[in-house]
Amino acid sequence: MQETFNMSRKNVIFATKYYYVASSLLLNNFCMDSNYVLFALKLLGALALLVFGMKQMSESLQKMAGPQLRNVLRKMTTNRFTALLTGTSVTAAVQSSTATTVMTVSFVNAGLLTLAQAIGIIMGANIGTTLTAWIMSAGMSFNITDFIWPAFLIGLILTYRKKQENIGTFLFGMAFLLFGLGTLRQTGADMNLGEQPAVLAFFKSFDPNSFTTILLFLIIGGILTVCVQSSAAVMAITMILCASGALPIYPGIALVMGENIGTTVTSNLAALTASTQARRAALAHMFFNIFGVFWILIVFKPFINMICGLVGYDVTLMDNTNPGFKDNAAKLNYVLPAFHTGFNLVNTAILIWFIPQIEKFVTKVIKDKKKEEGEEDMPEKLVYIDRGLVHTPEIAVLQAQKEIAHYAERILRMYGMVEELVDETDKEKFAKGYERIAKYENIADNMEIEIANFLEQVSDLHLSDDTKSKIRSMMRQISEIESIGDACYNLSRTLNRKMDSGKEFNEWQTKSLKEMMEITEKSLLQMSHVLNGRRGETSLRDSINIEIEINAKRDQLKAENVEAINEHQYDYAVGTMFADLVNECEKLADYVINVVEARLK
């Protein structure tokens, strides 16, 4: 055994030596200088910090201002201009156009916004996201790493305080973002890309004045953004290359244009499995950017030269041997965000007048899914929850609550089918109705599982205590709603048993059962009202009063039913079926009150 251990030890030592020699040879052959490996690792690490910092900032801001953002999006979209301003301000606040777009699509699904309003907000989101480019430009222009250490310290302290945890996370994200920018700036300067013959030779192989070169770099920018999944990261790389003097202005601008298209490809891919409205909103976002790229290519040089003139960049100073070349190239840090802002402003100014036409276009391209006869009221998929989109807790809670309200409406429709069976005397029609209710019961079970799975996924995120409480409440709601579905199915089974027995209820039983079912339906309607409304706008008292009325009616009917059996008005079997129906209605009402209590808790 010791011999085996020694042999294994020798093998490990040999493998380690071999790996070391091979690594050295590879580095010598392919890098010629180990510093380049270090530079590459620094760049990748800095980009990772940048993306992580932006993600942390965005998520923490959404947690802090989630309900307020919801109210802003819902109220400040009365026309296309307020929708535009709303999208701009919200995106600037949360530092994520993707978050704004996803939130907007969620509200469209929830019926809080129209598709036209959503398009206006998405246009504003494109303007708001330009703030990120300006922040990056500032980070590339001077060394800001010396100022981030207090943010790390304060953020660490606040994360241990429950009430200020989100503020601490925001400070951490901001510090990581600035640290990543500072590292990118310093690494770019240390690499001296503008003085590296190989880098200069590569970019000089492309004619910066050629339209083909512009198209090529536009495609490269789009592909890089799709691969990296972050337009901010690609923008940072573009700034480093341009500021070093290695990448000329026109191809650099083409990369930025490609980033605009690449980020819309990402959202469209994410929306492939989402609802029809989500895919339409994503297509409108892509149309916005593609249209912008189309017209900017027509007036490419005049527009770029105008932007450069505003910033003070000299487009004619392309010789890196010129004494003023480096100072002029440094101004590219401001040219890129200035172009990004100007592009989105002009594009929005053109397209904001054509929002109705854009809405018609995306609706025509992405049509509603066709449903077969009889399927229109039996959807087996969720309506408001889109798993294909990235969710933040605030959005997910809203979607889940709307889905639960929709779930309750389906159960209410199922109850209506049960009421129809009471009067049905034709056996064939009764069988079809009974079969339909059975299908609804299976759908109700599936909906419960799907909503529960979604809530479990949300619970894995970093949640506030209030959000955790909401999710627990929603879990109870869907469980009780599913029990209502079971009660509806039990009612139909009892009615089916009566149909199979060939027995009929007398006039009093039929009338009494309908009265009981009408009161029960009233409780279901009140439950639906509570689920669709806000907590402060509804009261538990109304549901309790209906529950008291149902209990009193049940006690009355039970007593009268026993008396009727004793007086031989109908036989015991008929009386038992009548009693089962009355008791099941009362049980159903108990589940209803449980749902209302969970919602208003």
Side-chain angles (χ1 to χ4, degrees):
M1 185 171 181
Q2 182 64 34
E3 184 180 351
T4 304
F5 173 77
N6 290 334
M7 288 181 62
S8 300
R9 183 170 175 271
K10 288 179 181 179
N11 289 335
V12 170
I13 294 172
F14 175 77
T16 304
K17 288 181 178 180
Y18 178 81
Y19 173 77
Y20 175 77
V21 173
S23 300
S24 300
L25 288 172
L26 285 171
L27 290 175
N28 287 331
N29 288 334
F30 291 101
C31 300
M32 302 301 292
D33 188 350
S34 61
N35 286 334
Y36 286 121
V37 178
L38 181 60
F39 285 143
L41 292 175
K42 278 187 176 181
L43 282 175
L44 293 173
L47 286 172
L49 285 176
L50 173 70
V51 174
F52 176 75
M54 290 191 66
K55 182 175 181 291
Q56 290 293 101
M57 285 177 63
S58 176
E59 289 182 356
S60 58
L61 279 169
Q62 289 174 68
K63 287 178 185 178
M64 287 188 287
Q68 289 75 12
L69 290 178
R70 252 177 24 195
N71 292 332
V72 167
L73 283 174
R74 189 165 49 204
K75 293 179 180 178
M76 292 185 63
T77 53
T78 53
N79 57 60
R80 67 188 73 183
F81 298 104
T82 56
L84 176 70
L85 291 173
T86 301
T88 302
S89 58
V90 169
T91 304
V94 301
Q95 282 296 289
S96 173
S97 60
T98 301
T100 304
T101 303
V102 171
M103 196 181 299
T104 302
V105 169
S106 302
F107 291 157
V108 173
N109 284 338
L112 299 176
L113 293 175
T114 64
L115 182 59
Q117 289 173 318
I119 293 171
I121 293 174
I122 290 170
M123 287 183 178
N126 277 274
I127 296 175
T129 195
T130 60
L131 179 62
T132 304
W134 286 106
I135 293 173
M136 294 175 63
S137 173
M140 291 290 185
S141 301
F142 57 90
N143 189 5
I144 55 176
T145 54
D146 294 336
F147 302 97
I148 65 171
W149 309 116
F152 276 123
L153 177 61
I154 297 171
L156 178 63
I157 294 171
L158 292 179
T159 52
Y160 283 97
R161 306 184 66 178
K162 209 162 192 178
K163 292 184 178 180
Q164 284 83 34
E165 183 179 358
N166 288 329
I167 300 175
T169 305
F170 170 76
L171 289 175
F172 258 121
M174 182 180 69
F176 277 121
L177 169 66
L178 297 178
F179 187 53
L181 286 173
T183 306
L184 281 173
R185 172 186 174 275
Q186 189 58 47
T187 305
D190 293 341
M191 291 178 73
N192 295 319
L193 293 174
E195 298 177 5
Q196 299 296 328
V199 176
L200 291 173
F202 173 77
F203 285 115
K204 282 184 178 179
S205 63
F206 301 96
D207 182 5
N209 296 311
S210 169
F211 187 73
T212 304
T213 300
I214 301 304
L215 289 178
L216 178 62
F217 275 81
L218 189 151
I219 295 170
I220 291 173
I223 293 173
L224 283 175
T225 304
V226 172
C227 294
V228 179
Q229 293 285 297
S230 172
S231 58
V234 181
M235 174 71 83
I237 295 171
T238 307
M239 284 184 174
I240 291 175
L241 291 171
C242 288
S244 67
L247 180 62
I249 177 63
Y250 295 138
I253 293 292
L255 281 176
V256 175
M257 291 161 56
E259 293 157 18
N260 278 303
I261 295 178
T263 192
T264 65
V265 171
T266 302
S267 62
N268 273 271
L269 290 174
L272 284 176
T273 58
S275 68
T276 300
Q277 290 291 68
R279 288 185 288 121
R280 285 171 179 169
L283 179 61
H285 190 199
M286 175 176 278
F287 175 83
F288 176 87
N289 284 291
I290 290 178
F291 177 83
V293 168
F294 177 77
W295 70 256
I296 204 71
L297 287 174
I298 298 174
V299 294
F300 187 73
K301 286 189 178 179
F303 189 83
I304 304 305
N305 292 341
M306 180 191 71
I307 296 294
C308 291
L310 292 174
V311 176
Y313 175 80
D314 186 358
V315 293
T316 63
L317 193 56
M318 304 293 290
D319 186 3
N320 61 346
T321 60
N322 192 301
F325 175 78
K326 283 190 175 181
D327 292 336
N328 187 56
K331 294 178 182 177
L332 282 171
N333 285 333
Y334 299 102
V335 173
L336 295 179
F339 165 78
H340 197 207
T341 304
F343 166 78
N344 282 295
L345 284 173
V346 176
N347 203 28
T348 301
I350 295 171
L351 290 178
I352 194 170
W353 306 103
F354 300 97
I355 287 179
Q357 287 75 20
I358 296 173
E359 181 183 17
K360 288 180 182 178
F361 169 73
V362 297
T363 303
K364 189 174 181 179
V365 173
I366 301 177
K367 295 181 171 62
D368 291 315
K369 294 179 180 178
K370 292 183 179 180
K371 296 178 180 178
E372 296 179 5
E373 186 178 354
E375 288 186 345
E376 64 278 355
D377 59 347
M378 292 196 294
E380 299 206 24
K381 291 186 177 180
L382 302 184
V383 174
Y384 298 110
I385 291 174
D386 291 326
R387 291 191 179 86
L389 298 175
V390 179
H391 297 281
T392 58
E394 193 60 43
I395 298 171
V397 167
L398 172 69
Q399 288 179 313
Q401 191 58 59
K402 292 299 295 184
E403 196 66 65
I404 290 171
H406 168 253
Y407 185 19
E409 288 170 3
R410 295 298 170 190
I411 294 297
L412 180 59
R413 185 171 295 184
M414 181 180 179
Y415 183 79
M417 296 174 195
V418 176
E419 288 182 304
E420 291 174 3
L421 289 184
V422 174
D423 292 323
E424 189 58 65
T425 56
D426 185 280
K427 286 191 174 183
E428 187 175 343
K429 290 183 179 178
F430 186 97
K432 286 183 178 179
Y434 178 66
E435 183 182 355
R436 194 179 181 202
I437 292 171
K439 287 182 180 179
Y440 248 76
E441 204 275 332
N442 288 330
I443 292 170
D445 291 344
N446 292 334
M447 288 184 73
E448 179 200 14
I449 293 170
E450 289 191 43
I451 297 173
N453 288 340
F454 177 76
L455 289 173
E456 285 179 358
Q457 292 174 8
V458 176
S459 65
D460 291 335
L461 303 174
H462 297 290
L463 306 174
S464 64
D465 290 339
D466 182 57
T467 304
K468 289 177 183 177
S469 176
K470 287 180 181 177
I471 290 177
R472 286 194 297 270
S473 168
M474 289 178 185
M475 284 291 196
R476 185 186 174 197
Q477 290 173 47
I478 60 174
S479 175
E480 297 293 342
I481 292 173
E482 194 277 333
S483 295
I484 296 173
D486 289 343
C488 289
Y489 183 54
N490 290 336
L491 286 169
S492 69
R493 289 174 63 189
T494 303
L495 290 170
N496 186 56
R497 192 168 82 242
K498 181 178 79 70
M499 175 65 73
D500 290 341
S501 69
K503 298 181 181 295
E504 296 290 338
F505 287 153
N506 65 18
E507 185 178 348
W508 175 83
Q509 285 178 308
T510 303
K511 180 184 175 183
S512 299
L513 179 60
K514 285 183 178 181
E515 289 175 354
M516 183 67 173
M517 295 191 76
E518 283 176 5
I519 305 172
T520 307
E521 182 183 18
K522 188 164 66 171
S523 72
L524 284 166
L525 289 170
Q526 178 61 23
M527 178 190 74
S528 181
H529 173 67
V530 170
L531 291 174
N532 281 291
R534 296 188 189 180
R535 292 187 181 185
E537 297 174 352
T538 53
S539 170
L540 180 61
R541 175 51 53 188
D542 294 332
S543 296
I544 291 176
N545 290 337
I546 299 173
E547 170 70 5
I548 292 172
E549 184 181 356
I550 289 173
N551 289 340
K553 189 69 174 177
R554 177 206 54 188
D555 294 340
Q556 174 197 338
L557 294 179
K558 282 179 69 176
E560 292 178 357
N561 183 52
V562 171
E563 185 178 348
I565 293 173
N566 291 334
E567 293 178 357
H568 304 289
Q569 295 180 16
Y570 43 79
D571 61 30
Y572 182 80
V574 173
T576 300
M577 288 186 283
F578 176 78
D580 288 345
L581 290 169
V582 171
N583 287 330
E584 198 65 48
C585 284
E586 193 277 331
K587 281 183 185 179
L588 189 153
D590 287 341
Y591 299 137
V592 168
I593 202 72
N594 291 341
V595 173
V596 175
E597 284 179 347
R599 170 61 177 155
L600 299 178
K601 188 177 178 180

